[in-house]
Amino acid sequence: MLEQEAGPPIIRFRGLEKSFGDLHVLRGIDLDIPEGQCVSIIGASGSGKSTLLRVLMTLEHPTGGRVEVEGESLYTMKRNGEEVPANRAHIRRIRRKICMVFQHFNLFPHMKVLRNVTEAPIHVLGLSREEANQRGRSYLEMVGLSDKVDAYPAQLSGGQKQRVAIARALAMQPKIMLFDEITSALDPELVGGILDLLREIKQQGDMTMLIVTHEMKFARDSSDRVLFVDEGVILEDSDPQQMFTNPEHERTRRFLDTVLSEQA
Amino acid sequence: MPPFLEFLIATFPMLWRGLVITIQLALGGIALAIVMSLAAGLGKMSKIPPLRWLCIAYIEVFRGTSALVQLFWFYFVLPFFGVSITEFQAGVLVLGLNAGSYGAEVVRGAIQAVPRGQYEAAIALNFTPMQRLWRIIVPQAVVSMLPPMGTIFIELLKNTALAALITLNELTFVAKQIRDDTQRTTEVFLAVLVMYFAVALCITAVMRTAEWWLSRGLDRGGVR
Amino acid sequence: MEWDWALTWEILPELARAFRVTVAATIIGFSMALVGGLVLTILRRSPFRIISWPANFIVEFVRSTPLLVQLYFFYFVFPVEIPDMGGIFTSAFITGVLALALHYSSYTSEVYRAGIDAVPKGQWEAAAALNMSGGRTWTSVILPQAIPPILPALGNYLIAMFKDTPLLYAITVVELLTTAYQIGSARFQYVEAFTIVGVLFLIVSLMSAWLIRRMERWTALPSH
């Protein structure tokens, strides 16, 4: 079992449910993630693993259960001692701690690369233009794109776009970073570079990282903890060595066998 | 000098004054149309039902009735409600409201065509709803609004002629006066048609330039 | 300001009679525009520039200039040549309908063009391979495929023409708006007459728009 660190977890899900009409995507998720942990989330497509991240990012609102970030409820707030649905300001205050990188990059096509990275630091965090530019350039340098600050996203390759998207998220300096299948839309030869970048980010900071991925080698070698999500529940939650050598459940074993034989 | 040229040169100062008023009408109408298009187009997507209904009612009424009937209504009926407006004001008002009702649908369509991922990225970066709309969504939607808006502006320009029927001395009104005085129909009206055509070409050119300028760098195929 | 119901009931029959003129102008004018637009489209596709270029210019020019000026032009250029046939078919009526037809031919021409461009190139090649004549290719291969998908767009222009018929007021055709204006100025009570006209247009437009939406459903080609 994992050692529980002291203090409250930075992320806590309790009985989290999400349905789209009749489709029950998340069926009661209970999960604690301590600060600084790098967690890989694996599972078949449609298992609900992306929805888990999207609920934390408030892109989808849960239909039941509770989400806490640093001990504060995300979707409810206290008013006169009573628990009421959170208003916009409350959600924005908590959401400030979280950022996300998407499968399809979602860069802003009407802004040059540097402005893609500085727009939110200026208008959301309130940085001055000089500060934001400096910060933006340093993150673009970190992702290896110093020479592309004046390009438009349409002029970049898929791998470069995803690097910009990562720099854009890093520039918000969130405590929690969510990566939603960020290599799935890339050509195979570009995947390695992006994964190296993820490793670098992990080593550099104390950021909490949740990574939904199909890259089993990455999950095994580079994360602190692996979750296997199956049909809307966390079926298995263990350290990478155990998950990949001796999974507890038959379903996990079958999933890993299928995926690993494809990626061998 | 051929007599028709001599005639045109003689009447040109009058036609020119009419043309200036026509252009003022069109510019005023276009300005109002842009405001109304954005307001009603965004309002129709609002989550607040009364606001949404108000916008739908505005759009349907102005699209469903004739521009000339609207002009007569504003010019002849409003005074009975104690609101008196000049011919020029009635013209700008009706041109702008009429074109705005068509533009609203353009705005709504273009905004809904912005990929969902753009909203999601804006949420992930914690922009406020207003910042999402004005910094992320609208700037992208504007590019695809421009061509249909150009068509609407040309329709608006053509509709400025209707103001002649409430005796505003714009280009068509002046032309008809000259014709009534001189009986030289062909020369006057051909000259006026060419003038309108020239203004329409200018509108098209401005819209094309704006589109080219705003879509620099945008890969319209795979925008992500 | 109070709504005068007595007056409303008194003037309704008169407006209803005038409405028939409006409808007649729309139907005759649009039938002519359907044919005229098709002719223009075929001319624009001619391989000979001496034919295609003027056809293109006519479409652009007519589409970019005000219908009102075109109406005046027609009305004053051939005033006496058309005999007065009495009834609703006055010479002004015929002139007006001709101008409406020309104006809307330029719109329908664009619609036909879009429909024809959407027919796959292979269809032309197949017709050529079967050694069909040009006329046969158009009537039995191209048009039957090009026209059903564009019926809704044509329908929208039918509504647009209907809403443009009040412009016939300018050349003294006694249609709906002219009648309302006469009623209004005779009693100096404009509110009722103009509002009824607006409501009539609104009702007809909304109903036709609803019909067109239904039509869009059954003209959508079955998917392959």
Side-chain angles (χ1 to χ4, degrees):
Chain A
M1 270 320 290
L2 290 167
E3 299 164 43
Q4 285 295 324
E5 287 166 33
I10 190 164
I11 302 166
R12 167 170 278 174
F13 292 119
R14 281 294 174 270
L16 185 70
E17 311 231 353
K18 173 68 187 175
S19 335
F20 298 96
D22 290 339
L23 190 68
H24 216 151
V25 184
L26 297 179
R27 302 159 179 261
I29 300 276
D30 292 301
L31 177 66
D32 284 353
I33 294 174
E35 191 163 353
Q37 203 168 47
C38 173
V39 183
S40 286
I41 305 173
I42 60 173
S45 51
S47 59
K49 56 193 192 306
S50 284
T51 309
L52 195 60
L53 296 198
R54 294 170 60 81
V55 167
L56 185 55
M57 192 69 258
T58 70
L59 300 176
E60 315 281 358
H61 288 218
T63 38
R66 212 176 151 74
V67 182
E68 283 177 18
V69 176
E70 290 192 312
E72 268 189 295
S73 170
L74 176 57
Y75 288 103
T76 60
M77 56 192 238
K78 286 249 164 53
R79 187 182 285 156
N80 304 330
E82 263 182 87
E83 192 103 344
V84 294
N87 62 17
R88 243 181 224 155
H90 177 88
I91 287 183
R92 283 197 75 218
R93 186 170 60 77
I94 309 256
R95 193 165 59 195
R96 185 167 247 196
K97 301 167 183 172
I98 313 170
C99 201
M100 183 162 176
V101 183
F102 299 86
Q103 180 179 0
H104 292 292
F105 332 130
N106 299 345
L107 293 181
F108 304 132
H110 58 299
M111 299 177 187
K112 289 179 177 176
V113 164
L114 183 61
R115 197 160 151 228
N116 256 284
V117 179
T118 57
E119 185 78 357
I122 293 171
H123 296 287
V124 177
L125 303 181
L127 263 58
S128 74
R129 205 162 288 272
E130 295 76 51
E131 286 173 302
N133 281 344
Q134 206 179 2
R135 188 189 278 196
R137 280 177 200 280
S138 74
Y139 282 111
L140 284 169
E141 192 189 332
M142 174 181 167
V143 302
L145 287 177
S146 295
D147 53 333
K148 296 289 184 191
V149 286
D150 280 326
Y152 278 100
Q155 296 161 325
L156 305 179
S157 72
Q160 290 171 330
K161 283 181 193 169
Q162 195 59 295
R163 285 167 190 272
V164 176
I166 291 170
R168 180 175 73 175
L170 288 174
M172 295 300 282
Q173 301 187 335
K175 291 189 167 173
I176 302 166
M177 270 279 256
L178 312 178
F179 298 91
D180 188 8
E181 302 197 22
I182 61 168
T183 56
S184 299
L186 298 179
D187 293 335
E189 70 271 19
L190 299 171
V191 170
I194 297 292
L195 295 179
D196 287 342
L197 187 55
L198 279 189
R199 290 188 191 98
E200 198 185 326
I201 295 167
K202 186 194 164 199
Q203 276 157 14
Q204 279 203 352
D206 47 5
M207 207 155 42
T208 308
M209 297 165 73
L210 265 64
I211 305 167
V212 166
T213 185
H214 290 292
E215 300 296 327
M216 293 305 144
K217 251 165 73 190
F218 177 86
R220 186 184 63 198
D221 302 336
S222 307
S223 47
D224 305 322
R225 178 181 178 186
V226 181
L227 308 177
F228 175 62
V229 178
D230 187 55
E231 295 189 343
V233 295
I234 296 177
L235 194 64
E236 199 151 339
D237 173 359
S238 63
D239 68 83
Q241 284 317 308
Q242 162 143 14
M243 176 79 76
F244 283 89
T245 52
N246 187 21
E248 204 176 318
H249 291 267
E250 181 54 30
R251 290 189 69 97
T252 318
R253 191 185 306 274
R254 255 187 291 149
F255 171 78
L256 289 173
D257 282 349
T258 319
V259 182
L260 287 172
S261 66
E262 278 166 13
Q263 290 184 0
Chain B
M1 197 184 283
F4 80 91
L5 254 187
E6 219 166 293
F7 171 73
L8 282 183
I9 289 167
T11 52
F12 188 76
M14 286 177 73
L15 288 176
W16 178 255
R17 277 197 294 279
L19 181 65
V20 168
I21 293 180
T22 289
I23 291 172
Q24 286 170 344
L25 257 184
L27 289 180
I30 286 174
L32 180 58
I34 292 172
V35 173
M36 292 310 293
S37 301
L38 282 170
L42 294 172
K44 200 179 169 182
M45 293 184 285
S46 163
K47 287 188 186 119
I48 308 159
L51 180 62
R52 201 167 57 229
W53 297 330
L54 183 73
C55 292
I56 292 173
Y58 156 68
I59 293 170
E60 294 298 331
V61 165
F62 278 87
R63 278 161 56 107
T65 55
S66 165
L68 184 57
V69 175
Q70 290 160 20
L71 190 63
F72 275 29
W73 202 90
F74 272 75
Y75 187 65
F76 292 109
V77 173
L78 275 189
F80 286 90
F81 293 93
V83 187
S84 259
I85 51 179
T86 66
E87 294 83 8
F88 187 82
Q89 288 165 339
V92 168
L93 210 55
V94 166
L95 290 169
L97 290 174
N98 184 274
S101 69
Y102 289 90
E105 296 290 305
V106 170
V107 167
R108 190 176 61 99
I111 284 184
Q112 285 177 343
V114 172
R116 221 190 121 59
Q118 294 291 313
Y119 290 89
E120 297 190 343
I123 292 173
L125 293 168
N126 216 8
F127 286 108
T128 64
M130 276 296 155
Q131 289 173 330
R132 290 207 287 268
L133 186 65
W134 292 107
R135 296 193 170 275
I136 310 298
I137 305 303
V138 169
Q140 294 180 55
V142 163
V143 182
S144 49
M145 289 176 199
L146 288 176
M149 276 300 188
T151 310
I152 289 173
F153 292 160
I154 294 202
E155 292 298 318
L156 184 150
L157 169 71
K158 288 159 61 180
N159 278 341
T160 58
L162 301 182
L165 300 176
I166 56 167
T167 69
L168 179 66
N169 54 346
E170 48 67 76
L171 190 53
T172 304
F173 186 84
V174 173
K176 179 144 184 304
Q177 267 186 334
I178 297 175
R179 194 223 75 96
D180 289 347
D181 293 345
T182 64
Q183 300 294 316
R184 299 177 74 157
T185 308
T186 320
E187 291 96 323
V188 181
F189 282 122
L190 271 184
V192 164
L193 284 170
V194 169
M195 285 166 130
Y196 277 112
F197 188 56
V199 179
L201 288 181
C202 291
I203 293 179
T204 309
V206 168
M207 297 305 282
R208 291 248 169 91
T209 312
E211 196 193 340
W212 169 84
W213 195 74
L214 282 172
S215 61
R216 283 166 316 150
L218 283 191
D219 172 6
R220 306 299 309 287
V223 173
R224 277 272 157 71
Chain C
M1 179 59 236
E2 270 206 22
W3 185 264
D4 187 342
W5 282 106
L7 179 71
T8 307
W9 297 120
E10 191 190 326
I11 64 178
L12 258 183
E14 212 175 323
L15 289 171
R17 265 196 305 281
F19 192 61
R20 290 195 314 217
V21 180
T22 296
V23 171
T26 310
I27 291 173
I28 302 172
F30 200 70
S31 311
M32 291 163 75
L34 284 178
V35 180
L38 189 58
V39 171
L40 279 171
T41 307
I42 293 173
L43 292 180
R44 289 168 81 186
R45 297 182 67 91
S46 163
F48 305 108
R49 266 195 218 156
I50 194 144
I51 297 173
S52 66
W53 197 86
N56 270 320
F57 180 77
I58 288 171
V59 170
E60 276 307 309
F61 192 82
V62 170
R63 240 161 39 110
S64 311
T65 52
L67 173 61
L68 180 61
V69 183
Q70 293 164 12
L71 274 170
Y72 277 144
F73 190 71
F74 273 50
Y75 181 64
F76 291 120
V77 169
F78 18 85
V80 258
E81 282 80 358
I82 303 168
D84 198 329
M85 287 187 275
I88 57 173
F89 293 106
T90 59
S91 57
F93 178 88
I94 294 172
T95 321
V97 167
L98 281 174
L100 277 172
L102 173 70
H103 195 77
Y104 276 87
S105 293
S106 70
Y107 287 110
T108 54
S109 166
E110 285 287 284
V111 177
Y112 284 124
R113 187 173 72 155
I116 290 165
D117 285 348
V119 175
K121 209 174 141 223
Q123 295 293 310
W124 294 91
E125 291 168 355
L130 294 168
N131 209 14
M132 284 186 182
S133 68
R136 177 119 308 259
T137 305
W138 277 105
T139 53
S140 49
V141 179
I142 304 304
L143 292 180
Q145 295 184 68
I147 290 184
I150 58 170
L151 286 177
L154 290 175
N156 282 327
Y157 281 120
L158 174 62
I159 303 181
M161 182 191 272
F162 172 70
K163 286 185 294 187
D164 265 349
T165 52
L167 269 70
L168 297 179
Y169 155 86
I171 57 168
T172 72
V173 177
V174 185
E175 47 64 69
L176 199 51
L177 184 68
T178 316
T179 309
Y181 186 76
Q182 287 167 351
I183 292 171
S185 45
R187 304 160 204 249
F188 202 62
Q189 259 183 302
Y190 289 106
V191 183
E192 288 79 6
F194 280 147
T195 308
I196 293 169
V197 170
V199 170
L200 274 176
F201 271 103
L202 192 60
I203 291 170
V204 175
S205 301
L206 288 179
M207 280 187 345
S208 347
W210 179 78
L211 278 174
I212 288 170
R213 271 202 294 279
R214 304 229 22 189
M215 186 165 76
E216 263 165 5
R217 248 170 279 159
W218 65 255
T219 55
L221 286 175
S223 52
H224 303 288

